[in-house]
Amino acid sequence: SPSANTSLPNVVVFNFGACVANVSGSVSVTLTVPLMVLDTPAVATSSILPISCNVTFSEGLSLTQAQTASTYVLIVEPKLSVYGLVNDTALQTSSPILYTLFVQHTSETTSDAFDAVLFVALPSGMVLLQASNGSSPRPFNMSASNTSVQFNIGTL
């Protein structure tokens, strides 16, 4: 089994050792490496990240050859919208209102949103009486002072 060397930044080197063909012809080795795109300023939406592979091998005793293959990964991000509705816009002191928030994909979205979190902080002078997560139950946390709530949406 191959061993990985990660001593170089952004480079992983696998050493397969000697590969011997059992029959005349070629030896085929497939290496699958799962990758994750990091959420950093260097990775922008719609940017194209190159991925390259360089294979060095010898035929016989001394001749060394190198083969290079490249591919690209297109970075896509979901585009979400958040909007809210209030059941009564004429606020009365000490009268509860119902504020409903909607989080949804826009028409430009081409990917899922992962680990989505919606945080709602109430303006000064308002407190949260209760919270629910509608028809799609997901965990949520109300602050101890009842002035904010965090909904852990997950994948959307």
PDB file of all heavy atoms in Angstrom, residues 82-86 97-103 116-124 126-133 139-153:
ATOM      1  N   VAL A  82     -32.991  35.750   2.582  1.00  0.00           N
ATOM      2  CA  VAL A  82     -33.689  35.690   3.862  1.00  0.00           C
ATOM      3  C   VAL A  82     -34.683  36.836   3.872  1.00  0.00           C
ATOM      4  O   VAL A  82     -34.338  37.973   3.546  1.00  0.00           O
ATOM      5  CB  VAL A  82     -32.714  35.851   5.046  1.00  0.00           C
ATOM      6  CG1 VAL A  82     -33.460  35.833   6.370  1.00  0.00           C
ATOM      7  CG2 VAL A  82     -31.656  34.767   5.015  1.00  0.00           C
ATOM      8  N   TYR A  83     -35.917  36.528   4.188  1.00  0.00           N
ATOM      9  CA  TYR A  83     -36.903  37.598   4.337  1.00  0.00           C
ATOM     10  C   TYR A  83     -37.852  37.227   5.457  1.00  0.00           C
ATOM     11  O   TYR A  83     -37.957  36.075   5.865  1.00  0.00           O
ATOM     12  CB  TYR A  83     -37.638  37.885   3.020  1.00  0.00           C
ATOM     13  CG  TYR A  83     -38.515  36.783   2.513  1.00  0.00           C
ATOM     14  CD1 TYR A  83     -39.873  36.756   2.798  1.00  0.00           C
ATOM     15  CD2 TYR A  83     -38.000  35.757   1.726  1.00  0.00           C
ATOM     16  CE1 TYR A  83     -40.691  35.746   2.329  1.00  0.00           C
ATOM     17  CE2 TYR A  83     -38.813  34.737   1.256  1.00  0.00           C
ATOM     18  CZ  TYR A  83     -40.147  34.737   1.562  1.00  0.00           C
ATOM     19  OH  TYR A  83     -40.949  33.739   1.104  1.00  0.00           O
ATOM     20  N   GLY A  84     -38.527  38.244   5.990  1.00  0.00           N
ATOM     21  CA  GLY A  84     -39.423  38.014   7.106  1.00  0.00           C
ATOM     22  C   GLY A  84     -40.777  38.669   6.903  1.00  0.00           C
ATOM     23  O   GLY A  84     -40.910  39.635   6.148  1.00  0.00           O
ATOM     24  N   LEU A  85     -41.778  38.120   7.567  1.00  0.00           N
ATOM     25  CA  LEU A  85     -43.136  38.660   7.552  1.00  0.00           C
ATOM     26  C   LEU A  85     -43.602  38.859   8.987  1.00  0.00           C
ATOM     27  O   LEU A  85     -43.329  38.030   9.865  1.00  0.00           O
ATOM     28  CB  LEU A  85     -44.095  37.705   6.844  1.00  0.00           C
ATOM     29  CG  LEU A  85     -43.838  37.410   5.369  1.00  0.00           C
ATOM     30  CD1 LEU A  85     -44.819  36.347   4.876  1.00  0.00           C
ATOM     31  CD2 LEU A  85     -43.977  38.670   4.553  1.00  0.00           C
ATOM     32  N   VAL A  86     -44.305  39.950   9.225  1.00  0.00           N
ATOM     33  CA  VAL A  86     -44.857  40.246  10.539  1.00  0.00           C
ATOM     34  C   VAL A  86     -46.369  40.200  10.426  1.00  0.00           C
ATOM     35  O   VAL A  86     -46.941  40.768   9.494  1.00  0.00           O
ATOM     36  CB  VAL A  86     -44.393  41.639  11.028  1.00  0.00           C
ATOM     37  CG1 VAL A  86     -45.001  41.970  12.383  1.00  0.00           C
ATOM     38  CG2 VAL A  86     -42.885  41.709  11.086  1.00  0.00           C
ATOM     39  N   ILE A  97     -46.312  39.754  18.740  1.00  0.00           N
ATOM     40  CA  ILE A  97     -46.415  39.707  17.277  1.00  0.00           C
ATOM     41  C   ILE A  97     -45.813  38.384  16.820  1.00  0.00           C
ATOM     42  O   ILE A  97     -45.049  37.750  17.547  1.00  0.00           O
ATOM     43  CB  ILE A  97     -45.686  40.887  16.592  1.00  0.00           C
ATOM     44  CG1 ILE A  97     -44.194  40.856  16.920  1.00  0.00           C
ATOM     45  CG2 ILE A  97     -46.316  42.207  16.955  1.00  0.00           C
ATOM     46  CD1 ILE A  97     -43.364  41.779  16.066  1.00  0.00           C
ATOM     47  N   LEU A  98     -46.169  37.977  15.646  1.00  0.00           N
ATOM     48  CA  LEU A  98     -45.612  36.768  15.057  1.00  0.00           C
ATOM     49  C   LEU A  98     -44.711  37.189  13.908  1.00  0.00           C
ATOM     50  O   LEU A  98     -45.175  37.805  12.939  1.00  0.00           O
ATOM     51  CB  LEU A  98     -46.728  35.848  14.551  1.00  0.00           C
ATOM     52  CG  LEU A  98     -46.273  34.532  13.927  1.00  0.00           C
ATOM     53  CD1 LEU A  98     -45.536  33.678  14.957  1.00  0.00           C
ATOM     54  CD2 LEU A  98     -47.465  33.781  13.367  1.00  0.00           C
ATOM     55  N   TYR A  99     -43.423  36.891  14.024  1.00  0.00           N
ATOM     56  CA  TYR A  99     -42.425  37.246  13.010  1.00  0.00           C
ATOM     57  C   TYR A  99     -41.946  35.948  12.388  1.00  0.00           C
ATOM     58  O   TYR A  99     -41.386  35.094  13.069  1.00  0.00           O
ATOM     59  CB  TYR A  99     -41.276  38.011  13.662  1.00  0.00           C
ATOM     60  CG  TYR A  99     -40.235  38.538  12.713  1.00  0.00           C
ATOM     61  CD1 TYR A  99     -40.588  39.258  11.580  1.00  0.00           C
ATOM     62  CD2 TYR A  99     -38.881  38.332  12.957  1.00  0.00           C
ATOM     63  CE1 TYR A  99     -39.636  39.756  10.718  1.00  0.00           C
ATOM     64  CE2 TYR A  99     -37.922  38.826  12.096  1.00  0.00           C
ATOM     65  CZ  TYR A  99     -38.302  39.538  10.989  1.00  0.00           C
ATOM     66  OH  TYR A  99     -37.353  40.031  10.119  1.00  0.00           O
ATOM     67  N   THR A 100     -42.201  35.762  11.108  1.00  0.00           N
ATOM     68  CA  THR A 100     -41.841  34.529  10.405  1.00  0.00           C
ATOM     69  C   THR A 100     -40.705  34.817   9.448  1.00  0.00           C
ATOM     70  O   THR A 100     -40.792  35.736   8.627  1.00  0.00           O
ATOM     71  CB  THR A 100     -43.053  33.972   9.623  1.00  0.00           C
ATOM     72  OG1 THR A 100     -44.146  33.817  10.520  1.00  0.00           O
ATOM     73  CG2 THR A 100     -42.715  32.648   8.975  1.00  0.00           C
ATOM     74  N   LEU A 101     -39.635  34.040   9.548  1.00  0.00           N
ATOM     75  CA  LEU A 101     -38.474  34.194   8.667  1.00  0.00           C
ATOM     76  C   LEU A 101     -38.434  33.059   7.663  1.00  0.00           C
ATOM     77  O   LEU A 101     -38.751  31.910   7.989  1.00  0.00           O
ATOM     78  CB  LEU A 101     -37.183  34.191   9.489  1.00  0.00           C
ATOM     79  CG  LEU A 101     -36.966  35.421  10.350  1.00  0.00           C
ATOM     80  CD1 LEU A 101     -35.848  35.175  11.339  1.00  0.00           C
ATOM     81  CD2 LEU A 101     -36.655  36.616   9.482  1.00  0.00           C
ATOM     82  N   PHE A 102     -38.017  33.385   6.454  1.00  0.00           N
ATOM     83  CA  PHE A 102     -37.873  32.408   5.377  1.00  0.00           C
ATOM     84  C   PHE A 102     -36.444  32.459   4.861  1.00  0.00           C
ATOM     85  O   PHE A 102     -35.929  33.532   4.567  1.00  0.00           O
ATOM     86  CB  PHE A 102     -38.837  32.723   4.225  1.00  0.00           C
ATOM     87  CG  PHE A 102     -40.281  32.702   4.617  1.00  0.00           C
ATOM     88  CD1 PHE A 102     -40.899  33.839   5.108  1.00  0.00           C
ATOM     89  CD2 PHE A 102     -41.017  31.535   4.510  1.00  0.00           C
ATOM     90  CE1 PHE A 102     -42.228  33.825   5.475  1.00  0.00           C
ATOM     91  CE2 PHE A 102     -42.348  31.515   4.876  1.00  0.00           C
ATOM     92  CZ  PHE A 102     -42.955  32.658   5.366  1.00  0.00           C
ATOM     93  N   VAL A 103     -35.820  31.301   4.748  1.00  0.00           N
ATOM     94  CA  VAL A 103     -34.488  31.176   4.148  1.00  0.00           C
ATOM     95  C   VAL A 103     -34.658  30.256   2.957  1.00  0.00           C
ATOM     96  O   VAL A 103     -35.167  29.139   3.091  1.00  0.00           O
ATOM     97  CB  VAL A 103     -33.464  30.572   5.132  1.00  0.00           C
ATOM     98  CG1 VAL A 103     -32.103  30.452   4.474  1.00  0.00           C
ATOM     99  CG2 VAL A 103     -33.382  31.396   6.398  1.00  0.00           C
ATOM    100  N   ALA A 116     -25.686  25.549   7.328  1.00  0.00           N
ATOM    101  CA  ALA A 116     -26.328  26.869   7.366  1.00  0.00           C
ATOM    102  C   ALA A 116     -26.850  27.158   8.766  1.00  0.00           C
ATOM    103  O   ALA A 116     -27.418  26.288   9.431  1.00  0.00           O
ATOM    104  CB  ALA A 116     -27.462  26.936   6.346  1.00  0.00           C
ATOM    105  N   VAL A 117     -26.648  28.390   9.217  1.00  0.00           N
ATOM    106  CA  VAL A 117     -27.098  28.848  10.526  1.00  0.00           C
ATOM    107  C   VAL A 117     -27.779  30.194  10.339  1.00  0.00           C
ATOM    108  O   VAL A 117     -27.264  31.067   9.644  1.00  0.00           O
ATOM    109  CB  VAL A 117     -25.916  28.992  11.505  1.00  0.00           C
ATOM    110  CG1 VAL A 117     -26.366  29.611  12.829  1.00  0.00           C
ATOM    111  CG2 VAL A 117     -25.248  27.649  11.745  1.00  0.00           C
ATOM    112  N   LEU A 118     -28.926  30.367  10.936  1.00  0.00           N
ATOM    113  CA  LEU A 118     -29.643  31.643  10.916  1.00  0.00           C
ATOM    114  C   LEU A 118     -29.636  32.189  12.334  1.00  0.00           C
ATOM    115  O   LEU A 118     -30.113  31.539  13.264  1.00  0.00           O
ATOM    116  CB  LEU A 118     -31.078  31.456  10.429  1.00  0.00           C
ATOM    117  CG  LEU A 118     -31.975  32.697  10.483  1.00  0.00           C
ATOM    118  CD1 LEU A 118     -31.460  33.778   9.544  1.00  0.00           C
ATOM    119  CD2 LEU A 118     -33.402  32.333  10.148  1.00  0.00           C
ATOM    120  N   PHE A 119     -29.084  33.379  12.510  1.00  0.00           N
ATOM    121  CA  PHE A 119     -29.026  34.016  13.821  1.00  0.00           C
ATOM    122  C   PHE A 119     -29.915  35.245  13.782  1.00  0.00           C
ATOM    123  O   PHE A 119     -29.794  36.082  12.894  1.00  0.00           O
ATOM    124  CB  PHE A 119     -27.587  34.411  14.168  1.00  0.00           C
ATOM    125  CG  PHE A 119     -27.468  35.040  15.519  1.00  0.00           C
ATOM    126  CD1 PHE A 119     -27.441  34.262  16.662  1.00  0.00           C
ATOM    127  CD2 PHE A 119     -27.401  36.416  15.658  1.00  0.00           C
ATOM    128  CE1 PHE A 119     -27.350  34.836  17.919  1.00  0.00           C
ATOM    129  CE2 PHE A 119     -27.303  37.003  16.907  1.00  0.00           C
ATOM    130  CZ  PHE A 119     -27.273  36.212  18.043  1.00  0.00           C
ATOM    131  N   VAL A 120     -30.827  35.344  14.740  1.00  0.00           N
ATOM    132  CA  VAL A 120     -31.762  36.463  14.810  1.00  0.00           C
ATOM    133  C   VAL A 120     -31.547  37.164  16.145  1.00  0.00           C
ATOM    134  O   VAL A 120     -31.686  36.551  17.212  1.00  0.00           O
ATOM    135  CB  VAL A 120     -33.223  35.985  14.706  1.00  0.00           C
ATOM    136  CG1 VAL A 120     -34.178  37.155  14.789  1.00  0.00           C
ATOM    137  CG2 VAL A 120     -33.438  35.188  13.427  1.00  0.00           C
ATOM    138  N   ALA A 121     -31.182  38.443  16.081  1.00  0.00           N
ATOM    139  CA  ALA A 121     -31.043  39.265  17.288  1.00  0.00           C
ATOM    140  C   ALA A 121     -32.173  40.285  17.279  1.00  0.00           C
ATOM    141  O   ALA A 121     -32.371  40.998  16.294  1.00  0.00           O
ATOM    142  CB  ALA A 121     -29.689  39.954  17.302  1.00  0.00           C
ATOM    143  N   LEU A 122     -32.919  40.351  18.354  1.00  0.00           N
ATOM    144  CA  LEU A 122     -34.044  41.274  18.444  1.00  0.00           C
ATOM    145  C   LEU A 122     -33.557  42.680  18.793  1.00  0.00           C
ATOM    146  O   LEU A 122     -32.565  42.841  19.500  1.00  0.00           O
ATOM    147  CB  LEU A 122     -35.034  40.795  19.506  1.00  0.00           C
ATOM    148  CG  LEU A 122     -35.683  39.450  19.235  1.00  0.00           C
ATOM    149  CD1 LEU A 122     -36.583  39.068  20.393  1.00  0.00           C
ATOM    150  CD2 LEU A 122     -36.455  39.461  17.940  1.00  0.00           C
ATOM    151  N   PRO A 123     -34.279  43.688  18.319  1.00  0.00           N
ATOM    152  CA  PRO A 123     -33.904  45.050  18.683  1.00  0.00           C
ATOM    153  C   PRO A 123     -34.150  45.309  20.169  1.00  0.00           C
ATOM    154  O   PRO A 123     -34.939  44.605  20.813  1.00  0.00           O
ATOM    155  CB  PRO A 123     -34.802  45.925  17.815  1.00  0.00           C
ATOM    156  CG  PRO A 123     -35.850  45.036  17.270  1.00  0.00           C
ATOM    157  CD  PRO A 123     -35.391  43.623  17.406  1.00  0.00           C
ATOM    158  N   SER A 124     -33.492  46.303  20.697  1.00  0.00           N
ATOM    159  CA  SER A 124     -33.656  46.676  22.097  1.00  0.00           C
ATOM    160  C   SER A 124     -35.131  46.943  22.395  1.00  0.00           C
ATOM    161  O   SER A 124     -35.837  47.551  21.594  1.00  0.00           O
ATOM    162  CB  SER A 124     -32.826  47.924  22.380  1.00  0.00           C
ATOM    163  OG  SER A 124     -33.001  48.315  23.715  1.00  0.00           O
ATOM    164  N   MET A 126     -37.370  44.517  22.831  1.00  0.00           N
ATOM    165  CA  MET A 126     -38.180  43.355  22.447  1.00  0.00           C
ATOM    166  C   MET A 126     -37.568  42.104  23.063  1.00  0.00           C
ATOM    167  O   MET A 126     -36.355  42.006  23.212  1.00  0.00           O
ATOM    168  CB  MET A 126     -38.249  43.199  20.930  1.00  0.00           C
ATOM    169  CG  MET A 126     -38.967  44.319  20.212  1.00  0.00           C
ATOM    170  SD  MET A 126     -39.174  43.969  18.462  1.00  0.00           S
ATOM    171  CE  MET A 126     -40.663  43.012  18.508  1.00  0.00           C
ATOM    172  N   VAL A 127     -38.418  41.150  23.417  1.00  0.00           N
ATOM    173  CA  VAL A 127     -37.956  39.860  23.909  1.00  0.00           C
ATOM    174  C   VAL A 127     -38.662  38.756  23.134  1.00  0.00           C
ATOM    175  O   VAL A 127     -39.768  38.934  22.639  1.00  0.00           O
ATOM    176  CB  VAL A 127     -38.195  39.671  25.431  1.00  0.00           C
ATOM    177  CG1 VAL A 127     -37.333  40.610  26.241  1.00  0.00           C
ATOM    178  CG2 VAL A 127     -39.654  39.787  25.779  1.00  0.00           C
ATOM    179  N   LEU A 128     -38.012  37.643  23.068  1.00  0.00           N
ATOM    180  CA  LEU A 128     -38.528  36.475  22.363  1.00  0.00           C
ATOM    181  C   LEU A 128     -39.396  35.671  23.324  1.00  0.00           C
ATOM    182  O   LEU A 128     -38.948  35.280  24.400  1.00  0.00           O
ATOM    183  CB  LEU A 128     -37.343  35.637  21.875  1.00  0.00           C
ATOM    184  CG  LEU A 128     -37.585  34.502  20.937  1.00  0.00           C
ATOM    185  CD1 LEU A 128     -38.143  35.027  19.611  1.00  0.00           C
ATOM    186  CD2 LEU A 128     -36.282  33.760  20.673  1.00  0.00           C
ATOM    187  N   LEU A 129     -40.647  35.443  22.975  1.00  0.00           N
ATOM    188  CA  LEU A 129     -41.548  34.662  23.827  1.00  0.00           C
ATOM    189  C   LEU A 129     -41.378  33.173  23.598  1.00  0.00           C
ATOM    190  O   LEU A 129     -41.399  32.378  24.528  1.00  0.00           O
ATOM    191  CB  LEU A 129     -43.000  35.078  23.577  1.00  0.00           C
ATOM    192  CG  LEU A 129     -43.337  36.540  23.874  1.00  0.00           C
ATOM    193  CD1 LEU A 129     -44.788  36.823  23.528  1.00  0.00           C
ATOM    194  CD2 LEU A 129     -43.051  36.868  25.331  1.00  0.00           C
ATOM    195  N   GLN A 130     -41.249  32.777  22.340  1.00  0.00           N
ATOM    196  CA  GLN A 130     -41.035  31.377  21.999  1.00  0.00           C
ATOM    197  C   GLN A 130     -40.480  31.314  20.590  1.00  0.00           C
ATOM    198  O   GLN A 130     -40.551  32.278  19.843  1.00  0.00           O
ATOM    199  CB  GLN A 130     -42.322  30.565  22.102  1.00  0.00           C
ATOM    200  CG  GLN A 130     -43.363  30.945  21.064  1.00  0.00           C
ATOM    201  CD  GLN A 130     -44.640  30.134  21.208  1.00  0.00           C
ATOM    202  OE1 GLN A 130     -44.936  29.618  22.281  1.00  0.00           O
ATOM    203  NE2 GLN A 130     -45.396  30.018  20.148  1.00  0.00           N
ATOM    204  N   ALA A 131     -39.938  30.167  20.247  1.00  0.00           N
ATOM    205  CA  ALA A 131     -39.421  29.954  18.894  1.00  0.00           C
ATOM    206  C   ALA A 131     -39.822  28.564  18.448  1.00  0.00           C
ATOM    207  O   ALA A 131     -39.963  27.651  19.259  1.00  0.00           O
ATOM    208  CB  ALA A 131     -37.904  30.102  18.864  1.00  0.00           C
ATOM    209  N   SER A 132     -40.023  28.406  17.153  1.00  0.00           N
ATOM    210  CA  SER A 132     -40.268  27.080  16.586  1.00  0.00           C
ATOM    211  C   SER A 132     -39.620  27.064  15.220  1.00  0.00           C
ATOM    212  O   SER A 132     -39.287  28.093  14.652  1.00  0.00           O
ATOM    213  CB  SER A 132     -41.767  26.782  16.491  1.00  0.00           C
ATOM    214  OG  SER A 132     -42.359  27.588  15.501  1.00  0.00           O
ATOM    215  N   ASN A 133     -39.422  25.885  14.714  1.00  0.00           N
ATOM    216  CA  ASN A 133     -38.756  25.766  13.414  1.00  0.00           C
ATOM    217  C   ASN A 133     -39.684  25.216  12.348  1.00  0.00           C
ATOM    218  O   ASN A 133     -39.256  24.565  11.423  1.00  0.00           O
ATOM    219  CB  ASN A 133     -37.472  24.956  13.533  1.00  0.00           C
ATOM    220  CG  ASN A 133     -37.658  23.704  14.355  1.00  0.00           C
ATOM    221  OD1 ASN A 133     -38.777  23.218  14.491  1.00  0.00           O
ATOM    222  ND2 ASN A 133     -36.588  23.190  14.898  1.00  0.00           N
ATOM    223  N   PRO A 139     -32.669  21.803  15.040  1.00  0.00           N
ATOM    224  CA  PRO A 139     -32.333  22.329  16.362  1.00  0.00           C
ATOM    225  C   PRO A 139     -32.215  23.853  16.361  1.00  0.00           C
ATOM    226  O   PRO A 139     -31.802  24.455  15.373  1.00  0.00           O
ATOM    227  CB  PRO A 139     -30.968  21.707  16.656  1.00  0.00           C
ATOM    228  CG  PRO A 139     -30.751  20.660  15.637  1.00  0.00           C
ATOM    229  CD  PRO A 139     -31.646  20.947  14.489  1.00  0.00           C
ATOM    230  N   PHE A 140     -32.582  24.459  17.479  1.00  0.00           N
ATOM    231  CA  PHE A 140     -32.371  25.888  17.641  1.00  0.00           C
ATOM    232  C   PHE A 140     -32.052  26.179  19.095  1.00  0.00           C
ATOM    233  O   PHE A 140     -32.350  25.386  19.985  1.00  0.00           O
ATOM    234  CB  PHE A 140     -33.578  26.712  17.161  1.00  0.00           C
ATOM    235  CG  PHE A 140     -34.843  26.483  17.942  1.00  0.00           C
ATOM    236  CD1 PHE A 140     -35.141  27.255  19.049  1.00  0.00           C
ATOM    237  CD2 PHE A 140     -35.740  25.501  17.556  1.00  0.00           C
ATOM    238  CE1 PHE A 140     -36.313  27.057  19.764  1.00  0.00           C
ATOM    239  CE2 PHE A 140     -36.916  25.290  18.261  1.00  0.00           C
ATOM    240  CZ  PHE A 140     -37.199  26.072  19.374  1.00  0.00           C
ATOM    241  N   ASN A 141     -31.409  27.320  19.341  1.00  0.00           N
ATOM    242  CA  ASN A 141     -31.024  27.726  20.683  1.00  0.00           C
ATOM    243  C   ASN A 141     -31.488  29.147  20.927  1.00  0.00           C
ATOM    244  O   ASN A 141     -31.136  30.049  20.169  1.00  0.00           O
ATOM    245  CB  ASN A 141     -29.499  27.669  20.858  1.00  0.00           C
ATOM    246  CG  ASN A 141     -28.937  26.294  20.596  1.00  0.00           C
ATOM    247  OD1 ASN A 141     -29.430  25.320  21.116  1.00  0.00           O
ATOM    248  ND2 ASN A 141     -27.922  26.229  19.759  1.00  0.00           N
ATOM    249  N   MET A 142     -32.251  29.347  21.981  1.00  0.00           N
ATOM    250  CA  MET A 142     -32.633  30.692  22.395  1.00  0.00           C
ATOM    251  C   MET A 142     -31.616  31.175  23.419  1.00  0.00           C
ATOM    252  O   MET A 142     -31.130  30.391  24.231  1.00  0.00           O
ATOM    253  CB  MET A 142     -34.027  30.693  23.017  1.00  0.00           C
ATOM    254  CG  MET A 142     -35.137  30.478  22.021  1.00  0.00           C
ATOM    255  SD  MET A 142     -36.795  30.349  22.757  1.00  0.00           S
ATOM    256  CE  MET A 142     -36.944  31.818  23.728  1.00  0.00           C
ATOM    257  N   SER A 143     -31.294  32.459  23.376  1.00  0.00           N
ATOM    258  CA  SER A 143     -30.369  33.006  24.369  1.00  0.00           C
ATOM    259  C   SER A 143     -31.042  33.026  25.736  1.00  0.00           C
ATOM    260  O   SER A 143     -32.268  33.038  25.849  1.00  0.00           O
ATOM    261  CB  SER A 143     -29.931  34.415  23.969  1.00  0.00           C
ATOM    262  OG  SER A 143     -31.038  35.301  24.032  1.00  0.00           O
ATOM    263  N   ALA A 144     -30.235  33.061  26.778  1.00  0.00           N
ATOM    264  CA  ALA A 144     -30.769  33.066  28.140  1.00  0.00           C
ATOM    265  C   ALA A 144     -31.602  34.313  28.409  1.00  0.00           C
ATOM    266  O   ALA A 144     -32.557  34.274  29.185  1.00  0.00           O
ATOM    267  CB  ALA A 144     -29.622  32.974  29.142  1.00  0.00           C
ATOM    268  N   SER A 145     -31.280  35.415  27.744  1.00  0.00           N
ATOM    269  CA  SER A 145     -32.018  36.665  27.963  1.00  0.00           C
ATOM    270  C   SER A 145     -33.224  36.799  27.035  1.00  0.00           C
ATOM    271  O   SER A 145     -33.929  37.805  27.079  1.00  0.00           O
ATOM    272  CB  SER A 145     -31.078  37.851  27.746  1.00  0.00           C
ATOM    273  OG  SER A 145     -30.597  37.840  26.407  1.00  0.00           O
ATOM    274  N   ASN A 146     -33.467  35.797  26.205  1.00  0.00           N
ATOM    275  CA  ASN A 146     -34.575  35.799  25.240  1.00  0.00           C
ATOM    276  C   ASN A 146     -34.521  36.990  24.280  1.00  0.00           C
ATOM    277  O   ASN A 146     -35.545  37.512  23.862  1.00  0.00           O
ATOM    278  CB  ASN A 146     -35.935  35.759  25.936  1.00  0.00           C
ATOM    279  CG  ASN A 146     -36.201  34.423  26.590  1.00  0.00           C
ATOM    280  OD1 ASN A 146     -35.474  33.463  26.381  1.00  0.00           O
ATOM    281  ND2 ASN A 146     -37.231  34.360  27.390  1.00  0.00           N
ATOM    282  N   THR A 147     -33.307  37.400  23.921  1.00  0.00           N
ATOM    283  CA  THR A 147     -33.162  38.504  22.962  1.00  0.00           C
ATOM    284  C   THR A 147     -32.580  38.040  21.637  1.00  0.00           C
ATOM    285  O   THR A 147     -32.409  38.854  20.727  1.00  0.00           O
ATOM    286  CB  THR A 147     -32.274  39.622  23.540  1.00  0.00           C
ATOM    287  OG1 THR A 147     -31.000  39.049  23.886  1.00  0.00           O
ATOM    288  CG2 THR A 147     -32.917  40.248  24.766  1.00  0.00           C
ATOM    289  N   SER A 148     -32.280  36.754  21.516  1.00  0.00           N
ATOM    290  CA  SER A 148     -31.777  36.226  20.247  1.00  0.00           C
ATOM    291  C   SER A 148     -32.091  34.734  20.162  1.00  0.00           C
ATOM    292  O   SER A 148     -32.337  34.073  21.170  1.00  0.00           O
ATOM    293  CB  SER A 148     -30.264  36.465  20.100  1.00  0.00           C
ATOM    294  OG  SER A 148     -29.554  35.709  21.058  1.00  0.00           O
ATOM    295  N   VAL A 149     -32.049  34.237  18.931  1.00  0.00           N
ATOM    296  CA  VAL A 149     -32.243  32.818  18.691  1.00  0.00           C
ATOM    297  C   VAL A 149     -31.360  32.417  17.516  1.00  0.00           C
ATOM    298  O   VAL A 149     -31.148  33.185  16.585  1.00  0.00           O
ATOM    299  CB  VAL A 149     -33.738  32.455  18.435  1.00  0.00           C
ATOM    300  CG1 VAL A 149     -34.246  33.124  17.177  1.00  0.00           C
ATOM    301  CG2 VAL A 149     -33.945  30.954  18.373  1.00  0.00           C
ATOM    302  N   GLN A 150     -30.805  31.224  17.608  1.00  0.00           N
ATOM    303  CA  GLN A 150     -29.963  30.687  16.536  1.00  0.00           C
ATOM    304  C   GLN A 150     -30.596  29.394  16.044  1.00  0.00           C
ATOM    305  O   GLN A 150     -30.798  28.459  16.815  1.00  0.00           O
ATOM    306  CB  GLN A 150     -28.548  30.426  17.039  1.00  0.00           C
ATOM    307  CG  GLN A 150     -27.675  29.739  16.008  1.00  0.00           C
ATOM    308  CD  GLN A 150     -26.269  29.509  16.529  1.00  0.00           C
ATOM    309  OE1 GLN A 150     -25.641  30.436  17.006  1.00  0.00           O
ATOM    310  NE2 GLN A 150     -25.802  28.287  16.435  1.00  0.00           N
ATOM    311  N   PHE A 151     -30.912  29.356  14.746  1.00  0.00           N
ATOM    312  CA  PHE A 151     -31.464  28.153  14.127  1.00  0.00           C
ATOM    313  C   PHE A 151     -30.335  27.442  13.372  1.00  0.00           C
ATOM    314  O   PHE A 151     -29.686  28.042  12.516  1.00  0.00           O
ATOM    315  CB  PHE A 151     -32.569  28.505  13.146  1.00  0.00           C
ATOM    316  CG  PHE A 151     -33.813  29.036  13.800  1.00  0.00           C
ATOM    317  CD1 PHE A 151     -33.996  30.403  13.944  1.00  0.00           C
ATOM    318  CD2 PHE A 151     -34.791  28.186  14.274  1.00  0.00           C
ATOM    319  CE1 PHE A 151     -35.135  30.913  14.561  1.00  0.00           C
ATOM    320  CE2 PHE A 151     -35.926  28.667  14.891  1.00  0.00           C
ATOM    321  CZ  PHE A 151     -36.094  30.039  15.034  1.00  0.00           C
ATOM    322  N   ASN A 152     -30.101  26.187  13.698  1.00  0.00           N
ATOM    323  CA  ASN A 152     -29.081  25.383  13.011  1.00  0.00           C
ATOM    324  C   ASN A 152     -29.768  24.656  11.855  1.00  0.00           C
ATOM    325  O   ASN A 152     -30.325  23.589  12.025  1.00  0.00           O
ATOM    326  CB  ASN A 152     -28.435  24.409  13.991  1.00  0.00           C
ATOM    327  CG  ASN A 152     -27.796  25.147  15.137  1.00  0.00           C
ATOM    328  OD1 ASN A 152     -27.093  26.125  14.939  1.00  0.00           O
ATOM    329  ND2 ASN A 152     -28.064  24.692  16.349  1.00  0.00           N
ATOM    330  N   ILE A 153     -29.729  25.259  10.692  1.00  0.00           N
ATOM    331  CA  ILE A 153     -30.476  24.758   9.534  1.00  0.00           C
ATOM    332  C   ILE A 153     -29.824  23.499   8.968  1.00  0.00           C
ATOM    333  O   ILE A 153     -30.489  22.577   8.543  1.00  0.00           O
ATOM    334  CB  ILE A 153     -30.597  25.854   8.463  1.00  0.00           C
ATOM    335  CG1 ILE A 153     -31.378  27.039   9.036  1.00  0.00           C
ATOM    336  CG2 ILE A 153     -31.239  25.319   7.192  1.00  0.00           C
ATOM    337  CD1 ILE A 153     -31.358  28.271   8.172  1.00  0.00           C
TER     338      ILE A 153
END
